[in-house]
Amino acid sequence: MKWLSALLFVLVLTLGQTASAQIAVYEKFEAFEKDIIKENDSIYVINFWATWCAPCIKELPYFEKLHTDNPKVKVILVSLDSQKDLEKKLIPFVARKQLTANVILLSDKDYNSWLNKIDESWSGAIPATFILDGKRKLFAEREFESFTELNDYVNAFIHHN
């Protein structure tokens, strides 16, 4: 029984470290923008969310499925949680939800300085999704009600000339 407890303890520690290693932290939008928002040949689906946002949590499985089912896109889940919540809330949340998409923490709380760099119409409400395909951009300040709705929305953008 002791060995089982020890094994579970090591497993939990390993999961925590794995999740921690997968969450890059950006304290300033400029660094996030430079590293993440790229106008290249890849198609990015960037979802802005937080662990305290019920509609965000509801749609996260749709983005996770998009990440696993649609190899055409790179899904990036950008948490707007506070940096002080990284260890106690965000990392355990990511591990518990078994998220495999790229999770990033953007802790720049000076929203007025960067929201319009994503989209001039963004009020700051989340969930919000930004799709980038080269120089083409699409922004949605809304919640997706199903995986099919999200997938159709992304594919319509990808295939629109």
Side-chain angles (χ1 to χ4, degrees):
M1 189 66 167
K2 273 187 168 179
W3 67 268
L4 182 58
S5 295
L7 179 64
L8 286 173
F9 179 74
V10 169
L11 183 60
V12 167
L13 278 178
T14 304
L15 285 174
Q17 289 171 348
T18 302
S20 180
Q22 293 176 353
I23 300 177
V25 177
Y26 290 89
E27 294 180 15
K28 294 292 178 192
F29 179 81
E30 291 74 23
F32 165 82
E33 183 178 37
K34 181 178 174 255
D35 288 353
I36 304 302
I37 300 179
K38 300 184 181 293
E39 294 179 357
N40 57 28
D41 293 340
S42 295
I43 300 163
Y44 297 92
V45 176
I46 303 170
N47 178 253
F48 294 88
W49 66 285
T51 58
W52 45 261
C53 168
C56 301
I57 293 169
K58 179 183 169 206
E59 71 175 13
L60 276 178
Y62 314 146
F63 286 93
E64 183 66 19
K65 186 168 173 52
L66 183 70
H67 165 69
T68 57
D69 289 6
N70 194 336
K72 296 177 193 167
V73 301
K74 293 182 179 182
V75 175
I76 302 172
L77 303 173
V78 181
S79 168
L80 298 181
D81 284 279
S82 174
Q83 190 164 348
K84 69 178 177 50
D85 294 331
L86 176 66
E87 296 293 329
K88 289 192 190 286
K89 289 184 182 173
L90 185 57
I91 290 171
F93 179 89
V94 169
R96 195 170 50 253
K97 297 291 185 180
Q98 299 178 344
L99 298 177
T100 60
N102 190 7
V103 178
I104 291 171
L105 174 63
L106 177 58
S107 63
D108 188 342
K109 299 302 181 202
D110 187 12
Y111 302 110
N112 291 333
S113 73
W114 60 265
L115 285 177
N116 66 350
K117 292 179 181 178
I118 298 294
D119 192 87
E120 290 185 9
S121 70
W122 191 9
S123 73
I126 54 175
T129 302
F130 181 61
I131 306 173
L132 181 62
D133 179 9
K135 293 199 179 289
R136 292 187 327 123
K137 300 173 183 178
L138 180 63
F139 179 76
E141 185 175 349
R142 58 169 284 206
E143 174 187 352
F144 292 94
E145 297 296 329
S146 69
F147 168 72
T148 301
E149 182 182 9
L150 172 63
N151 196 48
D152 290 350
Y153 187 82
V154 169
N155 284 324
F157 174 75
I158 292 171
H159 300 299
H160 184 263
N161 293 324

